[in-house]
Amino acid sequence: MLQQGLAVLQTGFYPFGNTPAVCLTQHLPPEVPARVLILGCGDLRNVLFTNHSEGGRRKLDFTCCDIEASVIARGILLITLITDDTGGHQTFSNWNIYFHQYLSFVDHARLVSQAKKLRSLSGSLDAWKTSEYGNVIRFCDKSTLEQVSKVWDFYLDASNRSRVEAKMKSERLGDSYTCMNGIRSTAPAFYTGFQAILDMHESFRKHGSTDADLATVSQATKHPNPMLVSPRIAAKLHGGENPLLGFHLATAFVPLDDKSAYAKAYKQKTNLGKAVAAARTEFSQWSESLRKQWPEGVTLRFFVGDAISFAHTLQQRRNAGTFTSASWYRSRFESFDPLILNEAEYGPNGDAPVSFTSVETSNLIDHLGSINLLVATSPLLDGAPSSTLYTESLVKKSETHRAFSQTLFGTNLGFFSLLLGLFPVDYWTNTTSVCAGDEGIIDRLVQSRSHLGSKPPPGQLHIRMGWKRPPGPSHIKPQPTSTSLEYLNMDASNLAELLFKVYLNMFPHENVTAMMSALRLGGSPDLSLPVYCRASFAALLRLVKSRVKTDWPAMMSQLIGLIGSDTTLTMGANYHHELLMYIHLLGVCPVSELAASPNSSGSARAQGKLRGWKDIPSTVCLTLKVPRSRLGLFAETGGALPVQCLVQDSAASKWMNMFAAVQLGFGTIKTSGTPYTDTFSLQIQDDPEGWHGSSALFVSFRAPTWILLQEPETATVAFALQHNLSTTQAYGRRLGAQLIVFGTKLGDTNAVFVTKEPPNLEGAISSGCFGIEDFLEPSVLNPGAKSSTVASTDGESATLTCRIDLESQDLKSTLSSGCAVKPTASSCCVWDVEMGDKSLKAIFPLPVLVSSIKTRIARKSSYIELIGTVITEISKTPSVPFTYPIVFSQGSTSSRPVPTPWNMPRLHLAILPAINIDEKSRAALSWVNMHLGHMWSSHERLLRENPWKPVSKEERARVNFKDSLFTIMMQFAGLKDAKGEALRSSVFALNCKEADGVNMAIFVSAMRLDLSNRTLVLDAAVMPALNELAEPHARIIQDMMKTNKLVGVNVTLDELRLWKEALPSMVERCREWDHKEDCEYLKSGEPRAPPLSIGTGERIICDCGVGVFPQDYHVDYMGSSWKHARKHCVRAAISPMFASSLVDELLLPPALNDLPTPSMAPVVAPASTTTRQAIPSIPVQGSGKDQCDVCWAGKRDDGGELFKCSKCKKVKYCSRECQKIDWQDHKKVCK
């Protein structure tokens, strides 16, 4: 449709996930609805893990799309097996059915019985809807239900047994090196689990089972499992499949608290046994969580088909507001099946979402192209600031993560994403909770295995990115709707030049000069399959048009001129009319030669059979029938080849036009209506065998009518391979210069069908764009004034202008009076503009250099402009307030805005496994050093090792902040400090001499595994020092000093500010409580982003969560002091702070010939970072007789006198809560 045509004879069948599960709602506050779209969903690990991670806090609505019906069918069967097993007695049987290639008699019988049950309920959409599963499991369209039902039929057909077994034997897994990249599943302790992954793959390859006990395996090899093969001949089991890779296997190799469900896995004798036990334990937990949520707490919707087609169809439904066809095929490969959504779900009375708070795209970006994918999905992202679109790349097309970011769009990543309405948060904040350093070492390790005599697999470059809406008014003034975008204004010429650069980079295979140059220099030109065609670029233009305000006709005129005169792309001229056609069809701009019917004026050169077509459309659809006998070369390759169609003059010497946006399919054809009239149409019945069947191939594409009218009978229409270096070298001699597979004359009515619409479709194709409802009113930010943003770029650097046009007479009078105008930065995006006694806001959609800001004041014209340069050297110009920003989201369960960490994932601490850090376990924690050492990028490590190097105070603060995190985590775990001593503590105080000593106390309860992000997190109670509570705080610190366990962490004033900026996110990310009606963040009537203050002794965060802890919350070494401290503390989740590998290079060993060890480039805390007993004595006033025995408050919370213990009358309390906390101790002495 709008993508490059491909002939794909073989696809991979992925029954298991090859990356660890992630929580898809981890950036949503609990008050925001969870509407999740998963494109390329594969197995349901992310669904199950997300549901488990949520802990039942809200209802979840998942829409799952995958191109492979077998993947969806087996997923639904597993879900129903789990939920039917109400007592949880069949968990391991469910595991076997889902993961094992061979089944026991009992397990096979359960599989058949469940498939039979599902098939009996799936006779129609209506029948399914009224079934026991119909309220939870929904089908997005009729065809999905039909395809899934056929797969269940395949499971039921006993005659398929030999076919299943034969396919299993032919689809052998590769050797253990094909799954080496899977060791990321054991991160952050990946080097300890390396061998287990290899052992598991080898065992599964030999036995088709995850059972480590071979005796058990031998008992289960009776029945081949049909769920482990695809009925489609073209779908082959991928050679690197491993059932364990979708789980978090660090739980198998990290000593965990005995209370953890995973503790038994760690105690297994073999690494393989540990890994299998850990995966099964996690699977069991996921299953139990699903049963708890079923049926009220979760909705699962399924679609089988192409992700791009599905996304554009959802866009059309969203923008049109009515149930109409988007004119897309459900699959881009070998099918003419139209995508028609289920009206019961997507019609006027349906409740299926078409806007999502979380969009997961798996690694489709590798196969569909970043621009295709983001153009299709960006408009589907809900406008809430917390809404996130995730992309993931695995294919190594660049050597480093940073190089990947520079080639993703062919121009500046940060600025171009703004045109798409997206903001790569980790990139711009240079802060993430995911360790890319582990990935770098894994890649080095995989490549180094060649020394063992076996060719290593192609390296992977695992890059996961989160994209949100750019900073805007809705971040500080949440809107009741999902509206969040502001229009972007650009100069027409500037925009044309930017888009032209993107255009050139979309078609590198056509730049023969650059490719030959790369070969001469010993490089490797990009020989991967092309993912873009001219229709793809037109779709991008359609989206940009809906986003950017400019002189659009002038911009398009210049852009088309640049493209038309370009000589860089050798085939550019041949595709030019395809580009113009889609520009016209998608409404980008009118094209004069396509504005009217070519023969409406009677002046067209109409000849032959086209002559009778009255008012022939300006574009028509050509469908070419290609005999099966001409397809031999495709069978020989067995893979995928780029294809296209040609229309050229009969002499093949005057003109030729190429069309790459082609649709392929096999089947039988049926025509209706009169040829060469509007009534003529084609219906093609798909042949399910496709390339492996016997039907003819049909290739359909649109073409401008005027081209056909040049030679309406004799012009050549051909199906051909697309020209690139690979196809030309491989097939040039065989097929000729034009690489034609099959060609005929335009007048050949047996092979060429000319219709108004494509086969099986009606109406114009719909392409993605933003709707008017996606954009904010310009007066939202500043009542009485309109705000706008103007952007300009040269491709590398960019400038933004925030303009405030004053409209109210009051504001105009104030400005015209000559008052001072003073802009002050709240962060690198948000500015407060003081105008006399008035206050205005200005928000840049990208971070700008604070030092670059210039102010332009037009007192007569009544506007103010702030002009700033967009940050380019992100690692060298960090913004402390923008490191861990807090935004406000509008919750659905409350009318009040909700503070939300923007780049720090939410965690449900209670379900995260706690690490056992006793002395016996420390030897197994040696990997912690290496993991934490990746917090520093190569640039930051240089600064760390050269403290004398002159840098900005913000850069130094980031480096020092990471040092403090490193110190706290290492010493809590009892690992070696700078002196080589293993001194463990759980009580830390941030000590700043410039700010009167201790400013924050951190009491660590546990170190946990953050499974979703494959890292560590400290479960801690944090007590910020407050002037109003100086006395009880001082008492607590003094008590801890007496234990000799208080570790003082010396910080500078700049680092202390970063701690205060980060604390609100650390608290909000693990919040299990609701904000109060009088929350300090909302007292002023409008949201007030934390920190409330960074002043010494002043309140940093609201007090809504102060004192809220689980009853059994415990901190080592605090003893009875905890009961005094807990009322002054708030729970926080403290993670390592990793630099974004997209911004700065990772620091990695130059080569790896074996498993990394903790001794490789160890990181130690500088001796000056920590002190014991170095905190000065803090004077405490008063005797404590008239103070609460728990928190030492002098009065009750309501200001009244303290309560007395009703029994002994001696001990006093400020509240019933403090009395309850103290009772376990006090009852022993109360008389």
Side-chain angles (χ1 to χ4, degrees), residues 295-365:
E296 290 83 7
V298 63
T299 300
L300 300 168
R301 308 174 194 275
F302 293 99
F303 172 78
V304 174
D306 179 65
I308 299 293
S309 299
F310 187 49
H312 278 292
T313 301
L314 291 176
Q315 278 194 52
Q316 192 276 340
R317 172 67 184 87
R318 176 178 176 269
N319 292 334
T322 58
F323 185 75
T324 56
S325 171
S327 295
W328 280 81
Y329 294 113
R330 64 182 309 100
S331 172
R332 56 189 293 220
F333 305 127
E334 58 184 78
S335 174
F336 284 97
D337 187 14
L339 200 172
I340 303 174
L341 295 174
N342 180 1
E343 186 171 3
E345 296 290 330
Y346 292 93
N349 299 320
D351 62 354
V354 290
S355 178
F356 302 89
T357 51
S358 181
V359 178
E360 164 66 28
T361 64
S362 184
N363 69 321
L364 293 180
I365 199 171

Side-chain angles (χ1 to χ4, degrees), residues 284-303:
S284 179
Q285 291 187 326
W286 295 355
S287 299
E288 181 59 29
S289 294
L290 181 62
R291 284 190 286 268
K292 290 179 180 178
Q293 282 287 86
W294 191 276
E296 290 83 7
V298 63
T299 300
L300 300 168
R301 308 174 194 275
F302 293 99
F303 172 78

Side-chain angles (χ1 to χ4, degrees), residues 350-482:
D351 62 354
V354 290
S355 178
F356 302 89
T357 51
S358 181
V359 178
E360 164 66 28
T361 64
S362 184
N363 69 321
L364 293 180
I365 199 171
D366 291 330
H367 309 291
L368 304 181
S370 56
I371 292 177
N372 283 337
L373 186 63
L374 296 178
V375 166
T377 55
S378 177
L380 296 176
L381 187 66
D382 183 89
S386 57
S387 298
T388 309
L389 188 157
Y390 301 99
T391 59
E392 189 173 78
S393 178
L394 286 172
V395 177
K396 188 175 183 180
K397 295 182 179 179
S398 305
E399 285 302 314
T400 66
H401 293 70
R402 189 179 183 191
F404 170 86
S405 73
Q406 295 168 343
T407 58
L408 189 62
F409 298 126
T411 187
N412 183 278
L413 164 66
F415 188 87
F416 185 75
S417 61
L418 190 61
L419 300 187
L420 304 177
L422 296 172
F423 187 91
V425 181
D426 292 352
Y427 172 83
W428 279 117
T429 61
N430 193 20
T431 305
T432 176
S433 296
V434 179
C435 177
D438 286 351
E439 286 292 335
I441 288 187
I442 289 171
D443 181 60
R444 293 281 180 88
L445 181 59
V446 169
Q447 294 304 305
S448 71
R449 303 306 283 182
S450 58
H451 79 282
L452 299 178
S454 177
K455 183 180 179 180
Q460 288 188 352
L461 199 67
H462 186 225
I463 303 173
R464 186 169 175 82
M465 297 178 64
W467 310 74
K468 297 176 183 285
R469 291 296 182 221
S474 62
H475 285 209
I476 59 177
K477 287 188 175 182
Q479 304 302 304
T481 66
S482 62

Side-chain angles (χ1 to χ4, degrees), residues 880-916:
V880 169
F882 203 61
T883 302
Y884 286 119
I886 287 278
V887 297
F888 284 89
S889 300
Q890 188 67 48
S892 63
T893 59
S894 170
S895 60
R896 307 172 75 240
V898 181
T900 307
W902 210 33
N903 64 341
M904 194 180 282
R906 280 188 53 81
L907 298 173
H908 187 18
L909 290 174
I911 68 169
L912 301 185
I915 299 174
N916 188 342

